[in-house]
Amino acid sequence: MTQAITNLARLTLRQLRQMASDLGVTLYSRKSKQDLVSAIAERQERRGGDLKAIEAELNPPARPQANTRVVFLPRDPQWAYVFWELSDDDRRRAQSEGASHLSLRLADVTGLQDGSSHPHTLQEVPVDSHSTEWYLPVPLCDRDYRVELGFRAGSQWMSLAFSSVARVPALHPSDQILDQFVPFSLDASAPAPQPVTTPIEPSDSGLHERLYQSATTHFRSRRVGSEVLHELDSQSGDQRGLSDSGAGLWASGRNESGLGGVAPRQRSFWLVADAELIVYGATDPSARLTIGGEEVPLSSDGTFHIQVPFRDGEQAYPIEATAADGEQKRNITLNFERVTPEDNSNPASEAKAEWF
């Protein structure tokens, strides 16, 4: 039994899983290598099978002399899968120099092309000297990493192979925001409205004119009754006593002869308005950034950009950046206060019909 377990331990995880499948071991894909070895040995003992016969059935291909290499594959924003091959010559050379601890070095190389890495980001992870694969936790997502395979002999490091550079995906949605914010003053007067058929040049029109055109275009499509007559008169160039705001003889309920009028009408009306607060900045790409104690992800160049609701009252945003080694910190606190002195707004779902 002991000899069988020893022979099984020399097989790779893939070979053990195929053997477990042939022997009918349940949940073999979820078991560790040690659990697989125990389950297969127990099943073989019950069956009275011969390990050598089973290995012959598997008929593994002859393996050529392996060259030392390491491959780094990001699995998700928090974990990466690393597997490697170690040549017998490199293993014997390491043992002859007194190195017995096989290790993986994970380095952040974002934005670097000369083979160097960012300071204070190198992490060394000891692994089983007879393993050929390992899962590594990723310290920070949305970054470029490279893995180095080597042996540790006391304070000396023996480098064996480097992996290719791979990008770890971001944990959060894309920080690219296509919104364009245009500063404007409410004290500025709106320019004269243009006919609907006239195209609006973005370089010559301000925010007020765009709001006016959008509002009036939408309003024309909803007008009914006598308002349609007003719009047709305005489009034909005959104002018939109407001012720019549409007030005139018709709006007062009088026609041009002073006789007759317009019957009272019923219409619902509504308005909604709110504000957002934008907090942005930048720090070292490898730093840890928190706002109010909550960690905020950084982009590849170290910038950050968040949009939060801006409600009435005072809001404080303490921002703190901590270096990757935890020895340096920078902080800033931003206080904002919003006051809404008047609010006579209502959403469309709460609009009520009114006579006017």
Side-chain angles (χ1 to χ4, degrees):
M1 181 69 174
T2 305
Q3 182 64 30
I5 293 178
T6 303
N7 294 333
L8 287 171
R10 296 176 181 174
L11 300 179
T12 64
L13 184 60
R14 180 176 298 177
Q15 290 174 325
L16 288 173
R17 287 176 176 173
Q18 183 168 351
M19 185 180 294
S21 177
D22 295 339
L23 293 174
V25 177
T26 59
L27 300 178
Y28 62 88
S29 62
R30 301 184 182 179
K31 296 181 183 295
S32 63
K33 184 175 182 179
Q34 183 178 359
D35 294 337
L36 278 175
V37 170
S38 301
I40 292 174
E42 181 181 355
R43 186 61 62 91
Q44 288 175 348
E45 185 178 7
R46 280 187 289 174
R47 287 192 175 188
D50 185 12
L51 177 62
K52 293 183 178 180
I54 297 177
E55 290 180 351
E57 291 178 2
L58 292 176
N59 193 20
R63 296 183 60 188
Q65 176 64 28
N67 295 323
T68 301
R69 66 189 185 101
V70 59
V71 179
F72 173 69
L73 297 174
R75 190 191 72 171
D76 53 46
Q78 297 177 330
W79 289 92
Y81 174 66
V82 182
F83 68 91
W84 61 88
E85 289 182 337
L86 189 59
S87 67
D88 295 335
D89 294 338
D90 287 337
R91 188 181 294 276
R92 285 193 295 267
R93 180 168 61 90
Q95 292 176 351
S96 64
E97 296 182 9
S100 58
H101 299 291
L102 186 64
S103 299
L104 298 173
R105 281 185 168 184
L106 181 66
D108 186 343
V109 295
T110 306
L112 303 179
Q113 305 295 335
D114 55 356
S116 60
S117 60
H118 289 285
H120 312 298
T121 63
L122 187 64
Q123 295 187 6
E124 185 173 320
V125 180
V127 298
D128 187 353
S129 59
H130 294 286
S131 296
T132 58
E133 59 184 354
W134 209 264
Y135 281 99
L136 291 179
V138 178
L140 189 65
C141 64
D142 198 20
R143 307 284 294 175
D144 294 330
Y145 290 95
R146 182 186 63 226
V147 169
E148 180 183 4
L149 177 68
F151 277 97
R152 167 66 65 184
S155 60
Q156 301 296 322
W157 172 257
M158 180 187 299
S159 179
L160 299 179
F162 287 91
S163 72
S164 300
V165 176
R167 183 78 174 186
V168 175
L171 181 63
H172 54 86
S174 174
D175 56 0
Q176 295 184 2
I177 300 176
L178 302 180
D179 297 338
Q180 296 183 358
F181 298 92
V182 181
F184 67 98
S185 173
L186 295 176
D187 298 331
S189 58
Q194 300 291 335
V196 179
T197 56
T198 302
I200 303 174
E201 295 295 334
S203 59
D204 299 330
S205 60
L207 177 63
H208 281 78
E209 182 172 343
R210 293 198 301 274
L211 291 175
Y212 176 82
Q213 293 293 338
S214 176
T216 54
T217 301
H218 178 68
F219 191 57
R220 286 175 188 134
S221 64
R222 296 174 59 89
R223 288 183 172 179
V224 296
S226 61
E227 290 184 329
V228 175
L229 298 178
H230 297 169
E231 188 63 26
L232 292 175
D233 291 342
S234 175
Q235 292 179 353
S236 63
D238 186 4
Q239 298 298 324
R240 294 176 181 253
L242 295 178
S243 63
D244 292 338
S245 63
L249 295 176
W250 286 97
S252 63
R254 297 168 58 88
N255 56 23
E256 290 184 343
S257 62
L259 300 177
V262 179
R265 291 165 292 172
Q266 192 176 20
R267 183 174 64 189
S268 59
F269 197 60
W270 57 279
L271 168 68
V272 291
D274 209 335
E276 284 187 343
L277 185 63
I278 301 176
V279 179
Y280 63 92
T283 184
D284 188 272
S286 62
R288 178 178 179 270
L289 183 79
T290 60
I291 298 181
E294 297 290 335
E295 186 169 355
V296 176
L298 299 174
S299 60
S300 58
D301 57 356
T303 59
F304 61 93
H305 182 287
I306 63 171
Q307 292 179 244
V308 293
F310 192 20
R311 308 301 185 193
D312 278 4
E314 185 175 354
Q315 302 182 31
Y317 290 88
I319 305 173
E320 183 178 78
T322 306
D325 56 5
E327 296 182 359
Q328 292 177 294
K329 292 184 178 182
R330 294 292 186 272
N331 65 286
I332 181 175
T333 300
L334 305 177
N335 288 335
F336 304 94
E337 183 178 4
R338 170 180 162 178
V339 178
T340 306
E342 183 178 0
D343 187 357
N344 189 27
S345 61
N346 61 310
S349 59
E350 299 179 5
K352 298 180 180 180
E354 301 176 2
W355 292 96
F356 68 98

